[in-house]
Amino acid sequence: MLSIYEASAGSGKTYKLAFEYIKLLLGYKSEGTDRYYLSKSNANRHRSILAITFTNKATEEMKRRIIHELAVLAQMEPGWEKESSYLDDLIKLFGCTVDEIRAAAANALRNILCDFSFFNISTIDSFFQLILRTFAREAELTGNYELDLHSDYAVAYGVNELFQSLAITHDDPDTQRTVKWITDYLMSKMERGDSTSLFNRTAKLHKNFIRLINDLNNETLATRHAEISEYLADHSRIENFLTQINEYRRILIADIQQACRDALSAIDTHCSTLKSGVNGKFTKLLVSRSTDTKLAKPSAMIIDAADDPSSTFTNGLKKQIETHPMPELERAIQSACRTIIDNYGIMITASLIQQNIFVLGVLSKIFGFIEQFRTENNTLLLSDTNSLLRNIIGEDDTPFIYERLGLRLHHFLIDEFQDTSRMQWDNLRPMVSESISTNSDCLIIGDEKQCIYRFRNSDPSLLQHHIEEQFAGQT
């Protein structure tokens, strides 16, 4: 059974995780039932339990807590006189006596301390590195590879090698195409009055470019690497895509201009014979927008009018429409304002694509130099771990993994699950599924409101509903 415990801060999730570990350590589940009994022999039971946290600090705290609670249960903690807060719950769960709990806790504590290297509480990255080093040959790695926790240096190396290669192979057609991409990019920066110091390593633009490549080197790219590489291999696709973006942007601007002209026409039709009408400042905004081809943020007046067109009316017109409604005028004004707001949001996206699309033209070259860095330095980037394991761990390969690791895990306890990424879960899921299929219990604890690892592709939607869907009837 897979238990999902959604717990907010201060709700006792640490207590729950430690209790679950001690329960699995001291007890066993009767075959065919969900009833737990105290195990008379718990030798090496700790080897079959894996508790996963997301920081080294949390790992050490969890180890200390479990050791402490076992010592308190066994009355072996020096200077500690209070009973364990777990005692009553464990007696009720196992249906045993206090003395039996104490003896079992003392035995389990001795087993862990004498076999501490198999006290399996670790970060998810440490566990994955254990698997990867075991399967180094299958992953085409040498057993003594260096693990680089941050990809910043490797990406900076790839970018700088790209720039240097432009001078060395300047006659190559591919290089000339790359030069054109970079030239077009810098020209667009110049037209906007922005810095063009892309080749200056100390410049902000150079650092931002490296940061952008780093952001693109994520799990989305890893999971779609083959499709993306195939798409980028044909440079004409990127050029056609940019052409379509420019055309789409032109259509959005034309829609805004036409909607503003329609609103102005409605104002002229309904207010030309009246002494008062629409606010003059708002009318000037519409006139300006009816011919403007630049990207301008909607003003507060336009945003208000999108919700309430009458906010643009003078007091005289407001009194007039109390007796003579003008729905066509209100619809025209509201339509113009909503078109401005909606199209502005889309145009912002289109503009960002235009500004950064050149990166797609040089992306494959940069990743080629990053791969060169890995090979020459016998280095594995931490960000590569999940994609490599994804190719090793299959749906039916869990027994083989355990055989190679030299251990057999029956129970998985995963803390802070809201910070798990989709690819990390894809690598863990076959092992969790294997455990559940043998009537072993697993636990997931998390709170999507506390998700803090979005920069590492964490996916809180896994906790929200995906897990229950994947293990329907088993949670």
Side-chain angles (χ1 to χ4, degrees), residues 14 97 165 199 207 267 289 348 352 414 421 443 467:
T14 305
T97 66
S165 71
F199 298 96
K207 294 176 181 177
I267 291 171
R289 294 278 185 167
I348 283 289
L352 289 173
I414 308 174
S421 74
L443 173 68
I467 302 300

Side-chain angles (χ1 to χ4, degrees), residues 92-107:
K92 182 179 179 181
L93 175 69
F94 295 138
C96 61
T97 66
V98 174
D99 290 340
E100 288 174 327
I101 287 287
R102 296 199 194 288
N107 188 36

